[in-house]
Structures are given as structure tokens and as C-alpha cells.
Amino acid sequence: MLLLIGLFFGLLIVGAPVAFAIGISGFSFFIISQVMPASIGVQQVASASQSFPLLAVPFFVLAGHMMNKTGITTRLIRCSEVLVSWMSGGMAQVCIVLSTLMGGVSGSAVADAAMEARILGPDLVRNGYSKGFTAATIAVGSLITATIPPSLGLILYGFVGNVSIGRLFLAGVIPGLMMMAGLMFTVWVVSRKRGYRSATVTRPSWSAVGSAVWDAKWALFFPVALLVSIRSGMFTPSEVGAFAVVYAIVVGVLFHRELTWQGAMEALLHGVIDNGLIVLIIMFSGMVGYAIIFDQAPQAIAQGMLGLTQSPTAILFLIVVFLLIAGCFIEATVLVLLLTPIFLPIVLQLGVDPVHFGIVMMTMVTFGGMTPPVGVAMFTVCGLLDCSIDEYLVEALPHIATILILVAILIFFPQISLFLPNLLM
């Protein structure tokens, strides 16, 4: 197991693609193993792709790209501006609200951060917001998409851990809204202190709010339709991914009339590229996951942690600290696929609900993408806004503190995550 870990990090250090780092290190374990043939590793790669729940991933990725071509994004931006641009730091508040609304469309924190950095970032800088504050608000705000359905990370966690994806989707709603409220409050405090003014002088009228919400109704209705269709048994989580693609096409062609043939082909191309990368990582991770379980790594780690404390809350905090550190170096998708087989048996042994743990875990592994030294969302936003990492980190400290406080609240009060799943399912 030490060889597997060492080879994996060694390949990452020399710049190997993540998928190949996982595949080479995993296959090396089977080659040098004296107990089982290398063909077992090949079988695990193949079997990882033979999963019906896994179909949800490529469908939701494609749906997100399709929706970006249908005018949904521009309508959500307009809706967010009407709702919160009158507040202190109004333009930055728009970024937070848009991340919440986009979570139900893209399902990807990096995609959301990149879109906002391109569209909203330059306007914030031109209106007097510092580059660091702008980049921090956009990057950390995109964390909300880790919990708002349909989160791709929650789908992968449910797939690997055999946890109900429908319950995970419901469990992410309240924590996602709490993140939105917490980050909006942080932006408000910083903006009041620095004199960042609101984008509009007066509050919007009820008619203006109603008009903006009505204009964005098909985008706002989408996450609601997902949850209702899963809860009612109309679709499985995999089938609802296909429904999302059809929904995006229908809205783009019949209602918004903005989805062209060229736009659809571009969305399909981007979807194929993204899915190729994600599925390759998933397939190779199946081999590594089998090696981890075979080597009894979860049992060894569980014994080590339980030797320190028997408190479920303390164990969760230890795992959160580990995920926070690991997330600084490794992409969220990889962490979910590699660490779920290790940590889920530990928390189950302690009586922690796997749905509650999934929300905490996804928040932390995605949060690593917003922090140095190799945060993907951080580098994406800073690169697009030409912002230095030092300036970003200083400005991001209030946002980071807010998220860590919210995670602590979720750990101490699991009922927050479990309220909707227990109520509706």
C-alpha cells in the first residue's frame, strides 16, 4: 500500500495526468502482489464502468453544457442582480446568489467559478472591487454547487458508497442555502467596512422581482423538478440525468429559442471531453479502491482513529482536517473516489449517518479547490482575473473562516442535513 501511495504522489509531482497517476500506481500494486494476478486489476477497471447509477454523471455533465447554450445563465444573472444588487457589495452579492442558482444547473464548482470570473469578474474590478476580493468571492462562492443538487460529487459519493443519491440531493439543499447566507453576510460585512457600494440605489419593486423570477422560471424550476421526480419515483437518479438533458434541449429550443445546432454540437463536444476525463478517473479508481479494501487499509485507519477517541464528533473533525489538507493537493473527484471506501466504513461503525457524512465530505474535498497550493477553482479564477495568489489568499480568509464555521455547525447538528431526507423520504 505504501508503494501505491508513494508512486501516486510521485507521478503527480512530476506532472503526470491524474487519471494516469491513479491507473499506473493502482496497476503496480497488482503487478507486484504475490496473492492475486494482475488480471484482477484489469477486471476492476472494467467492472467500475458497469454501473447503472454511474450513468447519471455523463448525463448531468452534458446537461450542464447544454444549459449554458440555452440562455439560462444570462437569465439567472439578471434574476440575481434584481434580487440582491441593492445590498452593500451588491455586485459581489450577485456572485454568491448566482452560484446558488447555478448549482442546480452546472453541478460543478470549477465550471461555475470559471463562468462567473469571465462574465462578472471584470465588472466588479472596474467598479472598484479589489481583484483579490473579487476572486475570493467568486471562487469560494462556487463551493455552494458542491451541495445544491445536482452535485456531481454527491452522485459519485453515492455511487462509491452505495448511498441513496435522492437522499443526498435532498440533504444538500439546506446546507447549500446556509453557505449562501453565510457568505452573503461575510461579503456584506467586508463591503460595509471598505465602502463597496450597492449596484443600485433603491430596492427593487415586487413587480420587478416577479418579472425577473418569471423570466428565469425554467432555470429555477429545474432543481425542483429533479427532486420531485426522484422523490415521487418517476425517475431513478440515473434516469433523471437523461431527463435533465432532454429538459435543457426543450427549454433551449421551444421556450428560450436560443439553442442552435452549432451550440448543441459545441455542448456535446465539451461534454464528451469532460466525460472522457471523469470516467477514466472513475474506472482507474475502481482498481485502486479494490486494492485499498484488499489491503485492509480502512480497518487499519479505523483502529488508529478509534485508538485516539471513541467520539463520533471528534472522529468527524479528524476526518475533516485530513480532507482539508488532502483537498489542497488533490482534485475533489479523485478524493471522493479514493477516500470514500476508507472513511465511510469508519463513520458507519460509529453510527454516523452516511448521508450526513456525504454532505460534510463533499463540502471539504471541494473546498480544497479554493485553497493553495493547487486549488483548481482558485487558479482558474485568479488566472482569468490576473490576480496574484498572495492577494487572493489574504482576501479569502474571511470567506474561508465562514465555511469552516458552517462545517463545524453541520458536524455538531446533523439534523440540519438530515431534515429534508427524513421528512420527504
Side-chain angles (χ1 to χ4, degrees):
M1 185 55 62
L2 292 177
L3 173 66
L4 188 154
I5 297 173
L7 186 57
F8 171 69
F9 282 104
L11 290 169
L12 287 182
I13 291 173
V14 299
V18 173
F20 292 115
I22 295 173
I24 293 172
S25 57
F27 196 63
S28 298
F29 175 87
F30 288 91
I31 291 178
I32 66 172
S33 174
Q34 303 295 321
V35 181
M36 51 186 167
S39 59
I40 298 292
V42 178
Q43 293 173 10
Q44 293 304 313
V45 172
S47 63
S49 65
Q50 307 301 309
S51 170
F52 185 69
L54 189 59
L55 284 174
V57 174
F59 279 133
F60 276 119
V61 170
L62 177 58
H65 285 294
M66 283 289 183
M67 288 187 180
N68 287 334
K69 300 291 184 180
T70 62
I72 282 178
T73 301
T74 56
R75 286 167 172 80
L76 289 177
I77 292 174
R78 229 167 14 238
C79 180
S80 302
E81 289 174 343
V82 171
L83 292 175
V84 297
S85 62
W86 56 271
M87 301 172 64
S88 295
M91 295 186 72
Q93 302 284 11
V94 170
C95 296
I96 303 298
V97 174
L98 182 61
S99 291
T100 308
L101 299 179
M102 284 298 295
V105 175
S106 69
S108 168
V110 177
D112 171 50
M115 181 275 296
E116 290 190 22
R118 290 191 190 99
I119 298 176
L120 300 178
D123 285 339
L124 267 76
V125 175
R126 279 195 297 268
N127 281 272
Y129 293 80
S130 70
K131 286 185 178 180
F133 179 76
T134 300
T137 301
I138 291 175
V140 180
S142 68
L143 176 65
I144 300 171
T145 62
T147 61
I148 295 290
S151 164
L152 295 180
L154 290 179
I155 295 173
L156 292 176
Y157 171 83
F159 158 68
V160 176
N162 195 26
V163 181
S164 168
I165 295 175
R167 286 180 62 86
L168 288 168
F169 278 0
L170 287 169
V173 174
I174 295 179
L177 295 176
M178 287 177 59
M179 286 183 208
M180 179 191 75
L183 290 173
M184 287 181 69
F185 177 75
T186 302
V187 168
W188 180 82
V189 170
V190 174
S191 298
R192 295 273 292 188
K193 183 178 179 180
R194 298 184 181 178
Y196 293 149
R197 292 178 293 179
S198 57
T200 56
V201 179
T202 58
R203 296 189 182 189
S205 63
W206 285 109
S207 61
V209 172
S211 176
V213 171
W214 180 256
D215 192 38
K217 59 185 178 296
W218 297 114
L220 299 175
F221 178 69
F222 176 61
V224 177
L226 292 184
L227 295 175
V228 171
S229 60
I230 292 176
R231 172 63 187 89
S232 64
M234 186 182 304
F235 299 119
T236 66
S238 301
E239 293 167 346
V240 85
F243 162 74
V245 176
V246 175
Y247 183 92
I249 295 173
V250 170
V251 169
V253 175
L254 298 182
F255 299 116
H256 291 172
R257 300 179 184 274
E258 294 186 25
L259 182 62
T260 63
W261 178 258
Q262 181 181 355
M265 291 299 101
E266 290 178 358
L268 184 61
L269 176 61
H270 291 309
V272 169
I273 294 173
D274 287 350
N275 281 315
L277 175 62
I278 293 172
V279 172
L280 191 61
I281 292 175
I282 292 172
M283 291 170 65
F284 285 149
S285 296
M287 177 170 53
V288 175
Y290 184 88
I292 290 173
I293 295 172
F294 178 83
D295 213 38
Q296 296 186 333
Q299 292 87 331
I301 295 175
Q303 289 176 359
M305 285 188 169
L306 294 176
L308 298 174
T309 176
Q310 294 287 328
S311 168
T313 302
I315 293 293
L316 277 179
F317 273 109
L318 287 174
I319 293 175
V320 161
V321 171
F322 180 87
L323 293 175
L324 179 61
I325 297 172
C328 294
F329 299 93
I330 306 174
E331 200 268 335
T333 301
V334 179
L335 284 179
V336 172
L337 293 169
L338 295 184
L339 297 182
T340 299
I342 294 177
F343 288 133
L344 188 56
I346 297 174
V347 297
L348 289 177
Q349 183 178 341
L350 294 170
V352 176
D353 191 288
V355 173
H356 166 60
F357 177 70
I359 299 300
V360 173
M361 180 174 182
M362 267 316 305
T363 301
M364 292 312 301
V365 298
T366 309
F367 186 50
M370 292 89 196
T371 55
V374 291
V376 179
M378 175 191 70
F379 278 118
T380 299
V381 173
C382 288
L384 291 171
L385 295 178
D386 193 26
C387 173
S388 70
I389 301 300
D390 293 341
E391 184 182 0
Y392 166 88
L393 184 59
V394 171
E395 297 278 16
L397 290 177
H399 301 74
I400 291 173
T402 300
I403 296 300
L404 293 179
I405 291 172
L406 288 173
V407 170
I409 292 173
L410 290 177
I411 291 176
F412 281 118
F413 303 100
Q415 300 87 350
I416 295 174
S417 302
L418 299 176
F419 175 73
L420 284 180
N422 291 342
L423 178 67
L424 300 177
M425 298 186 73

